[in-house]
Amino acid sequence: MHYEQLGVTEGDFYNRNFEKGAREDTMILNLGPQHPATHGVLRVIVELDGEYVIRAEPVLGYLHRMHEKMGEVKTLSQFIPNTGRIDYGHALGWNWAFVGAVERLAGFEVPERAQYIRVITTEINRITSHLLWWGAFTLDLGAITPIMYAFDDREHLLDILQMPTGSRLTHSSFRIGGVCTDLSEKFIETVRDFIPKMRERLPMYRDLVTDNVILRKRLEGVGVMDADMCRRYGVTGPVARGSGLAYDVRQAEHFPIYEGLDWQVAVRTEGDSMARYLVRMDEMEQSLNIIEQALAALPAGPVLMKNAPKVLWKAPKGESYFAVEGARGKIGVHLVSNGGEFAYKVKLRSPCFSNLSAYAEAARGTILADAVAILGSLDLVIPEIDR
Amino acid sequence: MSMIRKVLEPIGDLWSLVVGLRITGRNFTRPQVTVHYPREQVPTDLTDSYRGPIALVPHPRDATKSKCTACMICVGACPSQCITVVKAPAPVITPEQEKTFQEAEARGEEVERPVAPREPVIWINDFSLCSLCGMCVEACPPRCLTFSHELNAVGTSRDAFLHNLLIPYPGSLKPTPEQVQKLQER
C-alpha cells in the first residue's frame, strides 16, 4: 500500500512512495543522504525487520551536475576538465576515456611516449584511488587507524602525481593527441624510489587489516554475488573480478602498452566482500609492477602529436566508443559528433552506477551492519553515479 | 567439542590484537609525517609543480609591461569563461590630424596612421570560476601566460577572487573611463 493511501503527506516523493511490504511489523529507515557510512550523498532506503534488511533501495540524483549535457555546450577540449571532476578518485581514467574517444573518432595517432605517460599516471592514480577506498572501507567497518596509514602513502603519491598533472585531485592533464606535460627526471626518480617503499608497506597492510580476525569475520561470506548476478547487472571492475569474472578492459580491449607488460588480472572466485577486498589489494601490487616496467621501457619522443587540435578545432562527423579500466570498473565514453566544435552527445558509462544497481539484491536478507559492509566493498563514488 | 572450540577460538583470535599493537608500537616511535600547518609549511619543492592561479609573463624588452598582445584566444579557450580581456582603444584622430594625413597622402607621401596598440588595458581572471585546467596557457600563441605557485588563495568576498593580472605591470596602458564603466555594468 502506498503511503499516500495511508494518509502520509509529508516527506519527498520517495518517502511517500516507498511501498511498505506485506508485513506490518517492519521499519523503514533512511541511510543518508548525509550519513557517515554512505561516502557522500547517496541515500539508501532500507526496510528492516529488526536487524535484518528486507529491502534496500538506493536513491540517486543528489549530486547530479549535468556532465553529459555540459559536453554538448563545450568544445571537445573544453570538456576535458569536466572529466577530471566526474570521479574524484580516479580522475585520469575518465580523462583517458574521453580523449581516447575523441582520438578514435578523429583517427589520431598518439605518440608512444604519451601513451606510456598515460599508463604510468593512470596506474598511480589507481593506487591512490584504492588507498582511499581501503581507508574509507575500514572506517566503515569501525577501524579508525588504517586510514591514517593509507593517507600517509596516498599523500606521497598525490605529491608525485602533482608533478606531471599540476594538481592533486581533479587532474586534467590528458589532451586530445597526447598529454600536456612531459615527465621530469625528478618524477621518474621519485617514482623509482617510491615503488620499493610501497612494496614494503603492503605486507604491513596485510598484517594490520587483511589478516585481522575481526575484518575476516565481518567480510567472509558476506554479500555473495555470483558471476551470473554480476553479468545481469553489468557489474565490472574489482567487484566482477571478485566474483570470478576475469574481465579487465586493459586486457580485453588489447591496449597497446599493457599488452607488452608482464602483469596479471587479479581474480578471486569467492564473490563475497572479502574477495572484492583482496582483488583490490592484489591490484595495487599489479599496478606497481606495471608502473615499474613502463618506467623502464619509457621511450623518448614528443608527448603531444604534431597537429594537435587547436582551440576552434572541429571533430569529424561520426560516432566512437572508448573504454578504459578505471579503479571501479569499466569507464566508457560514447561520443557522437555531427561535425561541429561541440559534441552532439556525450554518453558517460559510469561503472559505479552498474555496481550500485546490484546492491539492492546483494543486501537483501543481511544484517544492517553487513549491508553497510557490502556498500563499502562496492567502492562507490557518488559524483560518478550521478554524473 | 564445538563448545570447546567456541571457547578456544576467541583466545586464538587475540593474536590479531598482538599483531596490531606491534605495528602501532613500531609506528609510534617513527618521526611525525604531518606538518603543523600555520607554524610550518610543506617544502617548496612540493609546491613548485602546483598549477596555481594564472599570471602574465613580462615583456622580454620592457619588464614593466606584460607580453600579452590581447589576441583574445585564451578567452575563447577557457571552459569556464573566467577570463576578461579588454584591448587598448584605437587612438582618437582629431580633424586637424586627419587633415594633415590627407594632405600628406595627396602629396604622395606614405602616411603612418596611428593604430591601436596591441596591448590589454584590463586583464581579469575570475579565480572563483577557474578550474586550473591550463587550456589558456596552452592556447596562448606568444606563450605569455603561466601558472603561479600561489597556494593560499583565500578571501572573504567573491570580489577578492577577481584577480587583476596587470597589477605587477605598472607600465601597461590604462583603460579609458568608458571601458571601466562598461565592464562594471557587466
Side-chain angles (χ1 to χ4, degrees):
Chain A
M1 197 187 280
H2 280 81
Y3 267 24
E4 270 169 352
Q5 287 161 319
L6 289 168
V8 178
T9 50
E10 285 175 6
D12 60 10
F13 178 82
Y14 285 96
N15 276 102
R16 292 199 302 273
N17 292 285
F18 191 73
E19 283 181 56
K20 281 199 94 165
R23 292 162 55 186
E24 289 292 311
D25 58 343
T26 57
M27 185 175 77
I28 289 181
L29 185 76
N30 259 311
L31 281 179
Q34 286 130 344
H35 190 273
T38 54
H39 298 247
V41 282
L42 174 68
R43 177 174 168 201
V44 184
I45 304 177
V46 285
E47 188 177 356
L48 294 172
D49 174 14
E51 269 284 282
Y52 288 91
V53 175
I54 296 176
R55 230 145 36 105
E57 193 172 292
V59 183
L60 312 177
Y62 288 92
L63 209 56
H64 180 55
R65 291 163 297 166
M66 299 196 295
H67 277 300
E68 291 184 357
K69 184 70 194 165
M70 278 159 100
E72 296 166 23
V73 295
K74 287 184 171 200
T75 64
L76 290 168
S77 47
Q78 279 180 349
F79 189 64
I80 295 171
N82 276 64
T83 59
R85 282 154 178 82
I86 295 167
D87 174 2
Y88 56 82
H90 198 211
L92 287 173
W94 278 96
N95 266 205
W96 197 355
F98 180 72
V99 296
V102 179
E103 282 155 9
R104 188 169 280 178
L105 178 70
F108 287 153
E109 196 69 37
V110 184
E112 210 184 356
R113 187 178 171 87
Q115 290 188 32
Y116 269 91
I117 293 172
R118 283 181 184 180
V119 168
I120 293 165
T121 47
T122 310
E123 291 304 322
I124 294 176
N125 206 181
R126 189 189 311 280
I127 299 177
T128 63
S129 172
H130 282 344
L131 282 173
L132 174 72
W133 159 82
W134 185 74
F137 182 44
T138 49
L139 213 54
D140 281 352
L141 300 172
I144 298 171
T145 329
I147 196 168
M148 308 290 174
Y149 296 111
F151 268 55
D152 182 6
D153 290 331
R154 189 177 134 86
E155 282 301 307
H156 286 298
L157 279 170
L158 290 181
D159 285 339
I160 289 171
L161 212 49
Q162 184 187 281
M163 286 181 220
T165 62
S167 52
R168 286 161 51 86
L169 200 69
T170 48
H171 315 287
S172 54
S173 75
F174 292 178
R175 296 288 180 265
I176 300 164
V179 292
C180 76
T181 34
D182 201 354
L183 297 184
S184 60
E185 278 300 315
K186 193 181 155 201
F187 172 87
I188 295 169
E189 261 174 49
T190 325
V191 177
R192 282 215 178 107
D193 290 346
F194 188 79
I195 289 170
K197 271 188 213 154
M198 186 72 202
R199 285 217 174 100
E200 281 170 28
R201 293 282 278 194
L202 288 174
M204 189 271 274
Y205 288 174
R206 193 192 58 221
D207 291 346
L208 185 68
V209 178
T210 314
D211 285 348
N212 189 291
V213 68
I214 301 171
L215 183 100
R216 287 199 165 266
K217 288 197 169 160
R218 287 284 311 266
L219 296 186
E220 276 173 357
V222 169
V224 179
M225 290 161 67
D226 56 12
D228 179 50
M229 183 176 160
C230 288
R231 281 201 198 93
R232 266 190 289 131
Y233 285 102
V235 169
T236 48
V239 183
R241 287 196 287 278
S243 304
L245 288 178
Y247 179 76
D248 190 310
V249 181
R250 291 174 284 179
Q251 195 189 48
E253 301 256 327
H254 303 286
F255 270 77
I257 305 301
Y258 287 108
E259 290 265 284
L261 304 175
D262 176 32
W263 62 285
Q264 272 100 41
V265 177
V267 187
R268 301 265 161 171
T269 48
E270 293 88 350
D272 56 356
S273 298
M274 194 67 200
R276 298 193 271 278
Y277 174 95
L278 290 171
V279 163
R280 292 201 182 88
M281 298 313 272
D282 292 347
E283 260 183 25
M284 279 201 253
E285 224 169 311
Q286 294 300 331
S287 287
L288 286 175
N289 290 346
I290 294 171
I291 296 164
E292 196 173 35
Q293 293 171 52
L295 271 181
L298 188 68
V303 293
L304 197 63
M305 55 179 264
K306 237 181 189 172
N307 300 317
K310 292 272 184 321
V311 173
L312 294 171
W313 176 73
K314 286 188 173 69
K317 213 171 172 175
E319 288 184 37
S320 69
Y321 181 81
F322 194 81
V324 172
E325 182 68 28
R328 277 156 271 281
K330 183 179 188 173
I331 297 171
V333 173
H334 184 189
L335 191 73
V336 184
S337 165
N338 56 1
E341 353 173 336
F342 309 117
Y344 177 75
K345 168 80 190 162
V346 185
K347 161 74 188 142
L348 308 166
R349 192 255 183 223
S350 152
C352 280
F353 184 83
S354 311
N355 293 2
L356 177 68
S357 54
Y359 174 70
E361 194 176 321
R364 196 178 298 149
T366 58
I367 302 174
L368 186 60
D370 284 350
V372 171
I374 297 166
L375 196 66
S377 75
L378 294 176
D379 188 13
L380 300 173
V381 164
I382 314 304
E384 193 195 51
I385 297 171
D386 289 344
R387 302 192 287 285
Chain B
M1 190 66 199
S2 73
M3 200 196 130
I4 296 168
R5 193 182 291 153
K6 270 195 175 165
V7 172
L8 287 180
E9 219 179 56
I11 295 168
D13 291 348
L14 285 175
W15 179 244
S16 282
L17 197 72
V18 178
V19 174
L21 279 174
R22 199 181 64 210
I23 292 165
T24 311
R26 207 186 297 142
N27 278 281
F28 191 72
T29 56
R30 283 199 181 146
Q32 198 171 7
V33 289
T34 48
V35 171
H36 282 255
Y37 165 62
R39 293 178 289 284
E40 298 172 62
Q41 297 243 349
V42 288
T44 48
D45 62 322
L46 288 180
T47 57
D48 278 350
S49 54
Y50 175 68
R51 297 199 303 214
I54 50 171
L56 286 169
V57 173
H59 199 277
R61 287 192 297 279
D62 183 2
T64 62
K65 283 190 169 191
S66 74
K67 207 175 161 188
C68 176
T69 57
C71 65
M72 311 296 239
I73 285 177
C74 53
V75 179
C78 179
S80 359
Q81 280 118 44
C82 64
I83 301 174
T84 310
V85 181
V86 177
K87 284 180 191 171
V92 186
I93 300 168
T94 55
E96 291 98 65
Q97 279 177 319
E98 183 63 38
K99 209 175 165 188
T100 51
F101 289 145
Q102 280 173 359
E103 281 171 5
E105 272 174 348
R107 285 197 299 274
E109 290 170 20
E110 269 196 22
V111 178
E112 270 190 34
R113 281 169 185 268
V115 288
R118 291 175 60 187
E119 267 184 56
V121 286
I122 296 171
W123 217 117
I124 288 170
N125 172 29
D126 189 349
F127 191 57
S128 60
L129 299 177
C130 177
S131 55
L132 298 172
C133 61
M135 296 292 161
C136 52
V137 175
E138 282 157 40
C140 184
R143 298 262 165 253
C144 77
L145 276 172
T146 177
F147 285 112
S148 66
H149 305 302
E150 177 60 42
L151 287 168
N152 305 316
V154 188
T156 49
S157 69
R158 269 175 184 256
D159 291 347
F161 296 104
L162 291 172
H163 292 174
N164 184 354
L165 267 60
L166 288 178
I167 284 178
Y169 302 106
S172 39
L173 296 173
K174 299 286 171 285
T176 59
E178 293 91 60
Q179 283 176 322
V180 176
Q181 201 189 354
K182 211 173 159 190
L183 193 73
Q184 275 168 351
E185 275 166 17
R186 269 170 57 196

Short mmCIF file of all heavy atoms in Angstrom, two decimals, chain B residues 43 51 67 168 170:
data_model
loop_
_atom_site.label_atom_id
_atom_site.label_comp_id
_atom_site.label_asym_id
_atom_site.label_seq_id
_atom_site.Cartn_x
_atom_site.Cartn_y
_atom_site.Cartn_z
N PRO B 43 57.62 21.72 2.19
CA PRO B 43 58.77 22.27 1.45
C PRO B 43 58.36 22.78 0.07
O PRO B 43 57.43 22.26 -0.56
CB PRO B 43 59.73 21.09 1.35
CG PRO B 43 58.96 19.89 1.76
CD PRO B 43 57.87 20.35 2.63
N ARG B 51 49.87 23.87 -10.11
CA ARG B 51 49.36 24.86 -11.05
C ARG B 51 48.42 25.79 -10.30
O ARG B 51 47.27 25.44 -10.06
CB ARG B 51 48.63 24.17 -12.20
CG ARG B 51 49.52 23.29 -13.03
CD ARG B 51 48.94 22.98 -14.39
NE ARG B 51 47.63 22.36 -14.35
CZ ARG B 51 47.23 21.46 -15.23
NH1 ARG B 51 48.03 21.08 -16.19
NH2 ARG B 51 46.03 20.97 -15.17
N LYS B 67 53.67 40.58 -21.68
CA LYS B 67 53.93 40.12 -23.04
C LYS B 67 52.63 39.99 -23.85
O LYS B 67 52.66 39.75 -25.05
CB LYS B 67 54.62 38.76 -22.94
CG LYS B 67 55.52 38.39 -24.09
CD LYS B 67 56.20 37.08 -23.76
CE LYS B 67 56.75 36.39 -24.98
NZ LYS B 67 57.23 35.04 -24.66
N PRO B 168 51.06 43.69 -11.48
CA PRO B 168 52.53 43.72 -11.42
C PRO B 168 53.17 44.49 -12.57
O PRO B 168 54.40 44.61 -12.60
CB PRO B 168 52.92 42.25 -11.47
CG PRO B 168 51.67 41.47 -11.41
CD PRO B 168 50.55 42.35 -11.76
N PRO B 170 53.23 48.01 -14.02
CA PRO B 170 52.80 49.41 -13.95
C PRO B 170 52.91 50.12 -15.29
O PRO B 170 52.27 51.16 -15.51
CB PRO B 170 53.75 50.01 -12.91
CG PRO B 170 54.94 49.12 -12.88
CD PRO B 170 54.45 47.76 -13.23
#
